[in-house]
Amino acid sequence: NPPRTGSRRSAAPREERQGQAIGQMNAMIAWFARNSVAANLLMVFIILMGINGIVNRLPVEVFPDFAPDEVEIRVTYRGATPEQMEESIVIPLENAIADLPGIEEIQSSASEGSCRIEVEVESGRDPRGVLDDVKSRVDAISGLPENIEPPIVKLEESLHEVVTLILHGDMSEYDLYKLGERVRDEVGRLDGVSRVVMRGLRNYEISIEVSEQVLREHDLTLQEVADAVNSSAVDIPGGIIRAANGELLVRTEGRAFDRAAFEKITVKGSEDGSHLTLGEIANVTDAFEENRVVMRFNGKRCAVVHVARTGDQNALKIEHTVKEYMDKLMPHLPEGVSMDIWNNRADIIKKRLVTLNDSAFVGIGCIIVLLGLFLRPGVAFWVCLGVPIAFMGAFAMMPYLGVTINLFTLYGFILVLG
């Protein structure tokens, strides 16, 4: 048999290509060595582009913002058991979307009064395209219970928290809820802040209870009472009246927001002009949900306000803005109420930046001492200058590559310094 020399033949062109690449690189280095003006101009250009990337284009975040790859479906059906949720809602929804292209896996969970379906998108598929397909299938389903709330279909996105504010003190749940809403709205209006979420307290709601005996006395059904509330507690636009002086917008304002407004809703009218109001037949309660939620901070009831970043927002700037607002608000808080910062993730970035700076100074010191002693000071200077210029080149290219300053990229810079 003849000797097998195919591997050697294929390796020879590869070595030639590598040799050509090295030769071209050496020629480029030699050209820049002979033309120092061009090398200096390139150095200045890299520095300016890096500064522009840091100041204007590079967002600072704690963890990189990954694209969501799950579509979430939530349905609320008050009073239903987990078995009813599974049989009447979960199974029909799963059957409706199971054959859609681009779905990797479907996971469902049912609890009392609600259910959740997570649809994992296949790798390489556009999640928003799958979201549109799932919405179309869900909207086309018939046979779901009539009393369910409209299904919520959305991409499951994580909350990129930067700073978490804790309001705690000896206050009633209602007063703490209102104070938390005020802080949430004020923080959301700050420059550079666009996403604020309040947690830790129960949702405020209006509950209406009507006894069966009262319904019989007035010849009413529970559905008629519900229809009266739905049709009355709304704002209805009435069109436009055009006049010589301009246009007038006509609108009927009937939306109810508190117990007193709901009690005035007319449930039934008679021919003699009298009417029956909701407050006369029902017990209207203006209070919190019945779900038990207990959250304490240092032994006191608290409200949690999460401040998160979105888009190209800078986590360090958000933290600075929130701290300034906090310093202004603290003197005006009610007596016995305090505000603290908890889970400040911007501190993680600060500590990583401190490590990067310390490593840079130690590395530059070692270069200057070693190369200055064993070679000459000029070599030490240019080697030290090459390190920040290489970093500036990275900062200049990161915005175009979709890379941000976060824990992972800072760790990579620290490894390079090492």
Side-chain angles (χ1 to χ4, degrees):
N1 294 328
R4 296 180 180 180
T5 58
S7 59
R8 293 183 180 180
R9 291 177 181 176
S10 61
R14 186 185 310 159
E15 293 177 354
E16 291 180 2
R17 290 194 297 268
Q18 292 176 353
Q20 291 175 0
I22 294 175
Q24 293 174 358
M25 187 179 300
N26 291 334
M28 185 174 61
I29 294 174
W31 187 88
F32 274 109
R34 293 192 303 268
N35 299 272
S36 58
V37 176
N40 292 333
L41 289 176
L42 178 61
M43 178 184 67
V44 173
F45 176 76
I46 293 175
I47 293 174
L48 293 178
M49 290 295 293
I51 294 175
N52 177 65
I54 295 174
V55 176
N56 300 321
R57 307 191 59 184
L58 267 179
V60 179
E61 56 185 356
V62 183
F63 296 103
D65 190 6
F66 296 103
D69 59 352
E70 284 189 355
V71 177
E72 182 185 45
I73 306 174
R74 283 184 177 271
V75 182
T76 301
Y77 186 16
R78 297 184 181 274
T81 62
E83 291 79 7
Q84 291 174 334
M85 295 295 300
E86 180 185 11
E87 295 175 359
S88 61
I89 298 177
V90 173
I91 294 178
L93 288 176
E94 286 183 345
N95 293 334
I97 65 176
D99 60 338
L100 284 175
I103 294 180
E104 178 73 22
E105 186 180 8
I106 299 176
Q107 294 184 359
S108 305
S109 61
S111 59
E112 183 178 349
S114 65
C115 66
R116 178 183 178 185
I117 301 175
E118 296 178 355
V119 181
E120 184 178 348
V121 181
E122 287 182 352
S123 178
R125 286 275 187 170
D126 182 16
R128 300 201 174 274
V130 177
L131 173 67
D132 295 337
D133 295 339
V134 172
K135 278 186 177 180
S136 300
R137 290 290 181 91
V138 172
D139 293 339
I141 294 177
S142 60
L144 295 178
E146 296 181 356
N147 297 328
I148 67 171
E149 297 183 6
I152 299 175
V153 184
K154 63 178 183 179
L155 285 175
E156 188 176 7
E157 299 181 1
S158 58
L159 185 66
H160 301 283
E161 300 176 24
V162 177
V163 178
T164 301
L165 301 177
I166 299 287
L167 286 164
H168 58 97
D170 297 323
M171 297 182 71
S172 65
E173 188 175 8
Y174 178 81
D175 293 336
L176 189 60
Y177 182 86
K178 290 298 181 182
L179 181 59
E181 281 190 328
R182 172 194 161 192
V183 172
R184 179 197 63 191
D185 297 340
E186 290 179 353
V187 172
R189 289 192 293 266
L190 297 175
D191 292 335
V193 180
S194 58
R195 189 173 185 187
V196 185
V197 179
M198 185 179 74
R199 294 173 180 166
L201 296 174
R202 295 180 293 175
N203 294 325
Y204 207 68
E205 68 175 8
I206 303 290
S207 62
I208 302 173
E209 299 177 357
V210 188
S211 67
E212 187 176 355
Q213 181 179 356
V214 173
L215 292 175
R216 288 200 193 98
E217 291 177 358
H218 296 280
D219 192 21
L220 290 170
T221 63
L222 193 60
Q223 186 61 44
E224 291 176 344
V225 176
D227 293 340
V229 173
N230 290 332
S231 60
S232 300
V234 293
D235 294 341
I236 303 175
I240 301 175
I241 299 178
R242 290 183 174 85
N245 297 331
E247 296 180 349
L248 296 176
L249 297 177
V250 181
R251 180 182 178 185
T252 302
E253 294 184 352
R255 188 174 181 181
F257 291 96
D258 54 12
R259 181 177 62 182
F262 274 95
E263 289 178 345
K264 295 178 182 179
I265 293 176
T266 301
V267 177
K268 185 178 182 181
S270 60
E271 296 180 356
D272 59 0
S274 61
H275 57 272
L276 185 67
T277 62
L278 186 64
E280 294 173 344
I281 65 171
N283 180 23
V284 183
T285 305
D286 192 354
F288 291 92
E289 290 179 341
E290 295 182 358
N291 298 334
R292 181 173 175 81
V293 177
V294 179
M295 185 172 288
R296 297 284 187 267
F297 184 81
N298 291 337
K300 297 180 180 180
R301 180 185 284 118
C302 66
V304 182
V305 179
H306 299 284
V307 184
R309 61 166 297 277
T310 58
D312 295 337
Q313 293 176 348
N314 191 312
L316 299 181
K317 291 182 179 178
I318 291 177
E319 183 213 22
H320 179 70
T321 303
V322 171
K323 283 187 174 181
E324 286 185 344
Y325 164 79
M326 186 176 170
D327 294 337
K328 295 178 181 178
L329 181 66
M330 287 289 289
H332 304 287
L333 288 175
E335 186 177 356
V337 179
S338 301
M339 179 187 291
D340 290 299
I341 290 181
W342 177 72
N343 192 21
N344 186 358
R345 294 192 171 186
D347 276 344
I348 306 175
I349 291 290
K350 289 182 178 179
K351 293 177 181 177
R352 190 61 60 86
L353 287 172
V354 170
T355 303
L356 180 63
N357 291 332
D358 293 343
S359 301
F361 286 121
V362 171
I364 290 174
C366 292
I367 291 173
I368 291 176
V369 172
L370 294 177
L371 296 185
L373 288 176
F374 293 98
L375 294 176
R376 61 180 185 272
V379 174
F381 170 77
W382 285 110
V383 172
C384 290
L385 191 60
V387 174
I389 292 176
F391 275 36
M392 286 297 176
F395 292 140
M397 293 300 299
M398 286 168 65
Y400 299 100
L401 300 176
V403 183
T404 62
I405 297 178
N406 53 65
L407 290 179
F408 299 116
T409 54
L410 289 178
Y411 185 68
F413 282 121
I414 293 173
L415 287 178
V416 170
L417 283 175

